[in-house]
Amino acid sequence: MKKQLLFLLITVLSFNCYSQISFEKGYYIDNSNQKTNCLIKNIDWKNNPTEFEYKLSENSESKKASIKLIKEFGIDNVSKYIRSNVNIDRSSEKFNQLSNHRKPIFKEEELFLKVLVEGKANLYLFEDGNLTRYFYNTEDTVIEQLVFKSYKTSNYKIGKNNSFKNQLWNNLKCPDFKISKVENLDYQKNDLINFFVEYNECNGEKSIIYEKKQKKDLFNLSVRPGFNSSSLSIQNSVSSSRDTDFDNEFGFRFGIEVEFIMPFNANKWSLIIEPTYQYFKSEKEIRNQTVIADYKSIEIPVGIRHCFFLSENSKIFINGSYILDLSSNSIIDFSSDVDLEINTGNNLAFGMGYKYNDKYSLELRYQTSREILSDYIAWSSDYNTLSVIFGYSLF
């Protein structure tokens, strides 16, 4: 019942919060070169989009526009995408999928390219999963890919085709540039952005940089005390007279959460790990004997969190975790029978919560059933926990 209730609440919450994602001021240019100011849904695309959602006004119905109809679109002071037919090499950088050929294998595609730098020379980015490709052009040239490719050599080593360095040296001239400047470049966003900005400045033109400023704080450390409402039942497949259903007990829990925020999709996704101390103690009288469950452990939930921003200082989140449980000095104590040593299995947890001002949080978390008598063939158990967790972010 608890699991079904939590699933329902998370589902409803997801739909409600998704609808509250704001549309931001932007524009698009269609195939007839008509520019339309509008509101564009900014989902901070990790992969270059093939379509986008927009509104003509705050209260109008949202619509979708595809790459076939739109030549360019942008969100004011945030991002800009242009449509272009380009030759792109999609060779994999994964070792087991590397090509045996040094030269790129080009294929013409129609893509939305993300503008990174605009000026006398322009720099563009295309991302699709693990694929990252940079493109460029000048006032007098068409857009072409900056070539970088890993490949297998004849002696099964990894070779690097760094032709992009020759492209930049030959086509983007500046008297102040030395060959070492190009030789030391990596095929990475920041390196290339800096190079193009310096080239434009050298040629007397200021650059427009569209690469958004990332949230500087991509790491959070929080203390998370709270309360557990836990239940435990144990069953013996040989003798049901030893079965025990302990009462539901309230206990204290204390965790330290480390959160690593992913630098895409507007910082809505993060990885979390939260070492937590928890305990459960309950006593039961069955068939003229006392049975005591004394269970202490360090739980280590490792999971994923997704946030829904309600305002600049307010957000709701949901998370799912896989819990590693390390029990210590824990037993099921039978007053007139052989005691059982607790050795636990692992389980899952699902939570939802609210965070204010990136400091204060409150979470409701449900854990699926955990086996705590995994060392015994004849014994099985069900340990379930519902937690209320308070959080305070130290930084």
Side-chain angles (χ1 to χ4, degrees):
M1 182 62 184
K2 291 179 181 178
K3 187 175 181 180
Q4 293 173 337
L5 177 60
L6 186 64
F7 178 79
L8 177 61
L9 288 173
I10 290 177
T11 302
V12 172
L13 181 62
S14 298
F15 280 112
N16 287 341
C17 294
Y18 187 78
S19 65
Q20 296 184 52
I21 296 176
S22 61
F23 285 70
E24 301 180 25
K25 289 183 179 180
Y27 72 94
Y28 66 82
I29 300 175
D30 61 23
N31 289 337
S32 61
N33 289 321
Q34 180 178 346
K35 181 177 180 179
T36 302
N37 293 319
C38 62
L39 300 170
I40 294 179
K41 191 175 194 178
N42 180 14
I43 60 174
D44 191 20
W45 296 272
K46 172 64 174 70
N47 298 323
N48 287 42
T50 58
E51 63 179 18
F52 61 92
E53 193 172 345
Y54 71 96
K55 291 181 179 182
L56 295 178
S57 66
E58 191 68 48
N59 298 320
S60 65
E61 183 181 352
S62 65
K63 299 180 181 180
K64 288 187 177 180
S66 74
I67 193 172
K68 295 297 181 183
L69 303 174
I70 303 300
K71 298 174 65 174
E72 177 180 320
F73 76 95
I75 299 173
D76 294 356
N77 303 315
V78 176
S79 61
K80 178 180 178 180
Y81 289 85
I82 64 166
R83 184 183 70 192
S84 183
N85 288 305
V86 294
N87 288 316
I88 182 171
D89 169 43
R90 287 183 174 266
S91 300
S92 175
E93 290 295 310
K94 295 181 179 180
F95 178 77
N96 60 349
Q97 298 177 14
L98 288 181
S99 167
N100 294 319
H101 304 286
R102 182 180 184 276
K103 291 184 178 181
I105 302 172
F106 287 118
K107 181 181 177 183
E108 185 175 351
E109 296 184 31
E110 185 177 59
L111 305 172
F112 271 138
L113 299 179
K114 183 178 183 180
V115 182
L116 297 180
V117 179
E118 204 168 55
K120 187 175 179 65
N122 307 310
L123 176 66
Y124 310 94
L125 168 66
F126 178 78
E127 289 185 294
D128 185 11
N130 293 322
L131 179 76
T132 301
R133 295 290 184 264
Y134 296 96
F135 295 79
Y136 83 110
N137 75 328
T138 65
E139 297 169 331
D140 305 318
T141 61
V142 298
I143 297 175
E144 64 175 276
Q145 181 185 318
L146 288 168
V147 175
F148 172 83
K149 180 181 178 180
S150 300
Y151 62 95
K152 290 180 183 177
T153 65
S154 57
N155 56 353
Y156 297 100
K157 292 184 178 180
I158 298 178
K160 301 288 185 181
N161 179 345
N162 286 306
S163 294
F164 76 95
K165 297 182 180 182
N166 292 329
Q167 291 172 280
L168 296 177
W169 179 250
N170 293 330
N171 300 319
L172 300 185
K173 295 292 186 181
C174 171
D176 297 336
F177 287 178
K178 296 181 179 180
I179 187 67
S180 59
K181 184 174 190 63
V182 173
E183 289 176 340
N184 293 329
L185 282 178
D186 287 327
Y187 198 72
Q188 293 181 356
K189 185 187 296 182
N190 289 339
D191 276 20
L192 293 173
I193 286 177
N194 291 336
F195 180 89
F196 274 76
V197 169
E198 290 182 35
Y199 169 81
N200 289 334
E201 289 177 351
C202 178
N203 286 273
E205 189 166 335
K206 190 174 181 179
S207 299
I208 300 174
I209 303 173
Y210 287 93
E211 177 62 2
K212 71 180 181 63
K213 293 181 180 179
Q214 292 285 358
K215 180 181 186 292
K216 290 184 179 180
D217 179 16
L218 296 178
F219 170 85
N220 289 330
L221 181 67
S222 304
V223 292
R224 289 166 57 85
F227 298 96
N228 290 341
S229 173
S230 303
S231 62
L232 172 65
S233 63
I234 60 175
Q235 302 84 35
N236 186 285
S237 60
V238 176
S239 174
S240 60
S241 63
R242 303 180 70 188
D243 294 354
T244 307
D245 190 358
F246 293 94
D247 293 330
N248 196 80
E249 298 288 345
F250 288 91
F252 179 74
R253 52 97 69 198
F254 183 83
I256 299 290
E257 181 188 83
V258 179
E259 180 180 20
F260 301 94
I261 300 171
M262 300 293 99
F264 53 82
N265 288 130
N267 305 128
K268 295 176 184 176
W269 292 94
S270 58
L271 302 178
I272 53 175
I273 180 170
E274 185 188 353
T276 304
Y277 171 79
Q278 70 88 38
Y279 73 91
F280 174 88
K281 191 167 186 179
S282 183
E283 182 176 319
K284 196 76 172 179
E285 297 289 335
I286 60 163
R287 294 176 174 79
N288 299 320
Q289 74 166 325
T290 302
V291 185
I292 300 174
D294 187 0
Y295 171 32
K296 302 175 289 291
S297 73
I298 299 295
E299 298 175 337
I300 307 179
V302 180
I304 298 175
R305 173 172 292 155
H306 184 63
C307 293
F308 304 90
F309 293 93
L310 304 179
S311 67
E312 186 176 349
N313 296 317
S314 181
K315 60 186 176 183
I316 294 174
F317 61 86
I318 59 174
N319 38 248
S321 302
Y322 182 76
I323 300 180
L324 306 172
D325 188 68
L326 308 174
S327 59
S328 175
N329 299 320
S330 300
I331 62 169
I332 305 294
D333 183 0
F334 292 90
S335 60
S336 58
D337 211 330
V338 179
D339 295 341
L340 301 174
E341 184 176 327
I342 291 177
N343 191 9
T344 62
N346 305 318
N347 64 322
L348 302 175
F350 303 94
M352 63 179 180
Y354 172 79
K355 192 166 189 179
Y356 176 72
N357 204 29
D358 270 339
K359 278 288 183 183
Y360 310 98
S361 64
L362 178 66
E363 179 183 342
L364 179 67
R365 180 182 296 179
Y366 172 72
Q367 293 188 24
T368 61
S369 179
R370 177 187 300 162
E371 175 61 68
I372 70 167
L373 298 176
S374 56
D375 285 350
Y376 301 92
I377 297 175
W379 284 96
S380 62
S381 65
D382 288 298
Y383 181 75
N384 294 277
T385 300
L386 183 66
S387 304
V388 177
I389 306 168
F390 306 94
Y392 177 77
S393 294
L394 301 175
F395 54 83

